[in-house]
Amino acid sequence: MEPIKNSGTQTASAVFFDSVARHILAQLAHEIPDLRGTAILLPNYHVAQPLAQALSVAANLPALLLPQMVTLNDWVLSIPLATPIQPDTQRITALYQALRERRWFADADLWSLSRELLGLMDDLTRHHVALPESEAEFSEQLARAYQARSGQSMQFEARVVHELWYAMAAGGELDGVRAYQQRLALLAQRVDRPLYALLTSDMSAPEAHFLEACRARVPVTVFDLREMVVDVPDCALLSRALQHAAESADLRSDAALLQKQPDAALSQRLHLFGAHSLEQEARAAEVQVRRWLLAGKQNIALVAQDRLVARRVRALLERAGVLVRDETGWTFSTLAVSTVLMRWLDALQSDFYYQDLLDLLKSPFIFADQEASARKQAVYQLEQLVRKHGVASHLDAFLDLAHGDKEVQQALVRLRQAAEALRKNTDTLSGWLRALNDSLSILGVLQGLAADVAGAQLLQALQTWQQELAADSTRFSRAEWRHWLAQQLDAHTFRDSSIDSPVLLTHLAATRWRSFDAVLLLGSDAAHLPSMDNGSVWFNDAVRSTLGLPTREMKLAQQRDDLLALLAMNDTVLATWQASKSGEKNLLSPHLEMLRALHELAYGDDLAERELGALLEGAQVRTADFPLPDEAAVPAPSVPHSLIPSRISASGYNSLVACPYQFYARHILRLNELDEVREGVEKRDYGEWAHDILHRFHQQYPVLSEHPRAMLEEGLQRISSEVFAPTVERDYLARAWLLRWQQAIPAYLDAQLKSEAEGWRYQNGEVPFELPLTEELLMHGRIDRVDVQTKADNTVRVLDYKMMEATRLRNKLKEPGEDVQLACYAYVYEANEAAFISIEKDKVISVAPPQDVAELAQANIERLLAVFAQMRVGAAMPAHGVDEACVYCEMRGLCRKGEWPPSLDPSPDGRGRISPSPSGGRVGKGESNG
């Protein structure tokens, strides 16, 4: 080949393509301008255009008929075969059946093991490995490879591989690898034209044999980029550094030679950026891509070594309005179109556990034959019912719950009909797929998937698998079939070809002989470059080498060669990695580390990118209405007049006192968190049971002093057991709460008898109320208990049961206006007295406000009316709750208090905001009781 020449203005890739073109034209000079009698094997079709351009430029003719340019795989597939090819779905199923029958691996994941064995057998076939005729002979061969005696484990491994190999080969059918090799052999016999091949690394054994067979018939020329780079100064540096990374050689002698070749420096084409976190690496990549786009680059490659970083970069770019073409694709298991399938199977397996059911119903693909608004409304109604009534599972229970709601019932009935299609205990894989298709049709999922690009591909894959397995009669349980389906979804990839963008996401092997305007190498740390696979459970590297199979070292060498090709073919490359993870140092890829060290020794430049880090903060993409950090302020929205509530409860008022913004989010925007379905017993359940018990008890025994103490205690114990019984039956932990309550019974009777001795009598309990405060505002709620004083003018006292310590309750009532519950109840009943009844273990204590209750109640209502009056004239609702109110506030993520600048006052009374009350208490200080 002629020496490679660089005019000084050519790009790195143009230098190599020009050299290839000149060499081809020199050999085919007698055929110019018609080169159609020649074939060029390409690593990928992206290489065709630049190679064609190089041929045209080098020929310098008005017209040139180009050679056939094709990938070897496509050329091979053009050769027809008379024998049908057995699909991998059938082969894996056969292996699974063989393993299941032999019971060699009782507790193993047989589907994963089958796939692993299939890969091993394909490797054995691909590399022309002929197994010995007997297990003993094969075992001895393995023992020599392992350099150990033929022990029991060795014999077992030999037996497994040997027996399954011959069992699979006995059918005489062609598999994909054998068909490829047969086509290669037929193609080699038909090649009748000069052949050229572009390589960056060693070919596989079958393909190398193919080229050797072709050389016996026609001239064959190989353009190996690894050999070509030595004639280009800066590429020679790359080659030497990567070779040293493999050999751990001394760099000083090479550095001394490179110092005499300043044109070999890489400072203008390669830079390294070490980030301090995944987020910083992703943001740096996103910012650099946008810089390149602004500079006019129209062909940018993101080479993803770390897929997690790549996903984050893609999300950031799309937020900035930059779409990404993805050559690598996504496995079906990661897509929403597969999620609806697995959620459907999850729901069946869990007997329609409510979370699985709601996840399924919220998929946009289910009930796609209905109006989207109607479907969403039905799901919303069902979720409200489920959370309100605490139903955790069982489809029949949900149907009973939805009685009277036609839309919800129709959805549940369709689920029951679809479930019937999958009720069989065992069936063939094809039968299960057919049943799945029927169930998805009933659910309207087929229609939803068909309207989606990825969904349509998934449906096609499911149909293909069903057809391929139609003749297989092996029966599988639902669990076995589902595991198989999950593996199939994880093994097949979806690629979206509809996106047209200058930014491309690809992988290292796909960049062979390709050039880009700029390349971003993501995840260039030692853990990802070279990438490490988990290895095979069958045969170590020594055995694989003896058998002629690819070893780990060969795979690492191929990645090194691909990296060399990428760096040699491209003029602008930025490699990023996380220099630290979780506070620990994270090493750069050994290939790039060696390259950096050699370059620093030779030229005093470590190739670090020093500008990008300083640009990250100012280059963040923000929407027009999202404030920058230095503009952040306490949120203080005003309430539109149409949204001002006409009703308020005591708990809502407490929320308003604790933090106006909390009230705004909860009761005006109605962003309250949904009720959780309580599957275990919680303290609030205990409080509800205690309220129910005491209400029933006082209804049966209005005056305790009229009954014997033993009767009262027996009655309270009986009512307690009745209330706790349903929960104790399904959850043994409820018995602990029952014992805790029973511990308080004697103290409660003592406190109530003492109260009656002071003249107080039980009047009513669980009393609902609605009290108009003005024409525009009504207060509503429920009072736990109302007592009347029989010794002093029928004075009314309102009581509220609390399952907490008396000290906490006293703190709540210490400051007037802090907790408004008792004051509201006192105002409703015009009560002169009010108290919390603290019931905690064996103590029952009455806790009353230290202030005059009537005055407190009046001031409390005046403040409420004043606040609503301010709200109606546009006063702001600031987020100025104190820390105690914020600890458990579910709206903290909205006000973003954790991101406020330290200078902000957490509880300002700014102008135009909710102001102090007439009584001197202030809205915004206190603990929410809502």
Side-chain angles (χ1 to χ4, degrees), residues 15 69 95 159 166 389 392-393 403 491 627 700 718 759 801 809:
V15 172
M69 290 189 277
L95 277 172
R159 179 186 177 191
Y166 279 101
H389 296 279
S393 60
H403 181 71
Q700 293 183 28
R718 172 178 49 78
Y801 302 124
L809 295 172

Side-chain angles (χ1 to χ4, degrees), residues 712-760:
L712 296 173
E713 194 156 342
E714 187 277 332
L716 192 51
Q717 290 281 6
R718 172 178 49 78
I719 294 171
S720 301
S721 298
E722 291 174 356
V723 170
F724 272 86
T727 309
V728 170
E729 185 177 349
R730 69 173 186 269
D731 189 345
Y732 71 93
L733 291 176
R735 188 174 297 278
W737 290 101
L738 174 59
L739 294 174
R740 179 173 178 169
W741 166 250
Q742 289 173 335
Q743 185 182 4
I745 286 178
Y748 182 81
L749 293 176
D750 290 342
Q752 181 60 23
L753 289 170
K754 179 181 177 182
S755 177
E756 288 186 1
E758 295 172 351
W760 293 105

Side-chain angles (χ1 to χ4, degrees), residues 574-607:
L574 174 66
T576 67
W577 87 102
Q578 296 170 57
S580 60
K581 285 185 176 181
S582 304
E584 298 291 333
K585 187 175 182 180
N586 188 42
L587 298 179
L588 179 63
S589 163
H591 299 319
L592 297 177
E593 183 62 57
M594 192 65 68
L595 180 59
R596 176 169 68 176
L598 179 58
H599 199 270
E600 187 170 17
L601 282 173
Y603 305 110
D605 182 358
D606 64 358
L607 300 174

Side-chain angles (χ1 to χ4, degrees), residues 437-458:
N437 185 79
D438 293 342
S439 69
L440 296 179
S441 178
I442 294 170
L443 295 175
V445 173
L446 293 185
Q447 185 172 332
L449 294 179
D452 182 86
V453 177
Q457 288 192 23
L458 175 60

Side-chain angles (χ1 to χ4, degrees), residues 281-286 289 301-314 317 504-506 519-525 528-529 566 574-578:
E281 182 181 4
R283 284 178 52 205
E286 177 252 342
V289 168
L302 305 180
V303 181
Q305 293 299 113
D306 187 338
R307 291 287 291 178
L308 190 61
V309 175
R311 284 198 293 270
R312 182 57 181 153
V313 172
R314 181 173 185 170
L317 285 171
L504 169 73
L505 179 63
T506 189
V519 175
L520 193 55
L521 191 59
L522 298 171
S524 305
D525 58 5
H528 294 95
L529 185 64
L566 174 71
L574 174 66
T576 67
W577 87 102
Q578 296 170 57

